[in-house]
């Protein structure tokens, strides 16, 4: 689902799938890997 500005500011992110995500801190960011996809989030 894409983020739409009309919904207001993004306050949280939820990951749902059959397998738990792997999270790794990289300095000022966090990499979240799940189902073969990688998201990099600023902290």
């Amino acid at each position: 689902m894409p983020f739409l500005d009309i919904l207001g500011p993004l306050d949280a992110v939820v990951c749902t799938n059959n397998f738990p995500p792997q999270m790794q801190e990289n300095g000022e960011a966090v990499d979240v890997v799940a189902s073969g996809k990688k998201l990099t989030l600023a902290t």
Side-chain angles (χ1 to χ4, degrees), residues 17-30:
N17 65 38
N18 294 334
F19 306 99
Q22 298 174 352
M23 296 184 204
Q24 182 177 24
E25 290 187 45
N26 286 330
E28 293 186 16
V30 175

Side-chain angles (χ1 to χ4, degrees), residues 5-35:
D5 291 342
I6 61 170
L7 300 176
L10 182 64
D11 293 329
V13 176
V14 176
C15 176
T16 60
N17 65 38
N18 294 334
F19 306 99
Q22 298 174 352
M23 296 184 204
Q24 182 177 24
E25 290 187 45
N26 286 330
E28 293 186 16
V30 175
D31 292 331
V32 181
V33 180
S35 298

